[in-house]
Amino acid sequence: SVATSPEPWLLLPQVYALRESGAFAEYGQVPSSRAIREFAGRLPGGEAAYDEAVRAFAMDLYGRATATATAGATDATEGVAYFLDKTPRYHFIADDLFRIFPDARIVFLWRNPLSVVASIVDTWSGGRWKLERWHADLHEGPPNLVNAFREHRDRSFGLRFEDLVASPDRVLTDLFAFLGIEFDPQVLEGFASVRWDARMGDPTGTARYGDLSTEPLDKWKATIKGPVRTRWARSYLTSLGPQVLGEMGYDLAELFGEVDAQPGGLASVPGDTAASLSASVRRSGRRAAARFLWSGPRS
């Protein structure tokens, strides 16, 4: 009933086409966005017409992707009710998605932020304490998603990763009911057989686990330990705050307690400290460059 493909990222440039900040283009993002907004504003229906065109564009490509994903299946695309576009950085445009796709069912999959941090370190940074590349995802992502969830709670379904792996039948029964499709328990046995030959997406999940496992729930503790990492973790959780974490289903005090219970050790301190300083320098450089790009002289 649900077709998908690995992290399409399809809608980000379409939405950012109307934004003056947040993107850089060789042809000039600021004048381009102003021109497109002016063009859209003159259309019958104004910018709503642009949303309609983006929706039609996406639905056409989702339909083609669905046909590709179900090629060779016994009932092909006839039984497909949804195409799932799971792109993490849609947190930047979460609110826009509700406007552009008024009939969509939008699912928020929450996860312990410390598990997300550890997953990034272990999967993409080779175990090294290098998080700068995902700074916006870690610090802006949760608030962006929580704000969109609060604003559109009546059209959303929120679930925690921890609950999903601990009680999959209960959680998926509720999720499928939200989608209006019947829950088949066999999906818990067959999902691991789905394979994608793609660059995008998490390459470790189905490679390591043949079924839903609770092992990842505490896996972050093997990564976030030592004085540099635990101090960073406390600061990170504080920046998110109890309200954002609470909406996601996590308690700040409990997370603090788990971080504080982590073992010490000084072996990783030099490398972690150097990585943190390097990240701070790069972030300052990017901010300076961004200020020049957005406030500099325009032709």
Side-chain angles (χ1 to χ4, degrees):
S1 298
V2 180
T4 189
S5 64
E7 296 188 15
W9 289 54
L10 182 66
L11 297 168
L12 287 164
Q14 319 310 324
V15 173
Y16 270 82
L18 274 66
R19 295 186 180 184
E20 293 189 16
S21 62
F24 173 77
E26 185 177 37
Y27 49 79
Q29 178 67 20
V30 172
S32 171
S33 64
R34 291 173 180 172
I36 295 174
R37 284 202 313 275
E38 182 175 339
F39 170 79
R42 296 176 183 272
L43 297 173
E47 289 190 15
Y50 181 87
D51 287 348
E52 182 180 350
V54 170
R55 181 168 61 252
F57 160 79
M59 294 298 288
D60 176 64
L61 292 182
Y62 289 156
R64 300 185 190 205
T66 297
T68 300
T70 57
T74 54
D75 54 358
T77 61
E78 295 179 3
V80 176
Y82 294 98
F83 179 86
L84 170 63
D85 184 342
K86 174 258 183 187
T87 299
R89 284 190 174 165
Y90 279 177
H91 70 79
F92 286 117
I93 61 171
D95 200 55
D96 299 275
L97 296 180
F98 284 96
R99 185 189 72 251
I100 297 172
F101 298 92
D103 298 324
R105 297 289 187 271
I106 298 186
V107 179
F108 291 79
L109 177 59
W110 310 115
R111 191 177 184 186
N112 180 347
L114 299 179
S115 292
V116 175
V117 171
S119 178
I120 290 173
V121 170
D122 295 336
T123 304
W124 306 112
S125 297
R128 293 169 294 178
W129 195 243
K130 292 187 175 182
L131 295 165
E132 176 59 20
R133 185 174 160 194
W134 297 273
H135 184 273
D137 302 308
L138 294 173
H139 291 82
E140 299 177 37
N144 287 344
L145 293 174
V146 163
N147 289 338
F149 181 70
R150 286 172 174 167
E151 184 70 21
H152 305 281
R153 197 183 299 268
D154 58 328
R155 290 182 49 203
S156 306
F157 185 91
L159 68 154
R160 299 196 320 161
F161 173 82
E162 293 80 5
D163 297 330
L164 174 63
V165 298
S167 305
D169 290 279
R170 176 182 60 81
V171 173
L172 290 181
T173 296
D174 293 341
L175 172 58
F176 277 51
F178 170 73
L179 297 175
I181 55 182
E182 184 178 355
F183 170 59
D184 181 357
Q186 289 188 347
V187 301
L188 295 174
E189 302 173 4
F191 78 90
S193 64
V194 178
R195 291 290 186 269
W196 298 106
D197 182 17
R199 297 177 59 185
M200 305 306 294
D202 185 351
T204 61
T206 54
R208 179 164 183 171
Y209 303 104
D211 53 19
L212 288 180
S213 171
T214 58
E215 180 191 349
L217 300 187
D218 292 318
K219 191 178 174 183
W220 66 267
K221 296 177 181 179
T223 300
I224 302 179
K225 59 184 180 180
V228 174
R229 298 188 181 194
T230 54
R231 185 168 61 249
W232 183 96
R234 284 187 63 92
S235 176
Y236 173 52
L237 294 173
T238 301
S239 71
L240 293 181
Q243 292 186 336
V244 167
L245 290 169
E247 191 71 73
M248 297 168 62
Y250 305 98
D251 182 81
L252 178 60
E254 290 182 6
L255 292 176
F256 274 165
E258 293 187 83
V259 171
D260 292 341
Q262 289 300 93
L266 302 177
S268 65
V269 170
D272 291 347
T273 301
S276 297
L277 291 174
S278 177
S280 179
V281 170
R282 287 196 300 272
R283 186 159 61 250
S284 297
R286 275 199 293 269
R287 286 173 178 169
R291 285 194 295 270
F292 172 78
L293 288 172
W294 302 129
S295 62
R298 305 287 176 186
S299 58

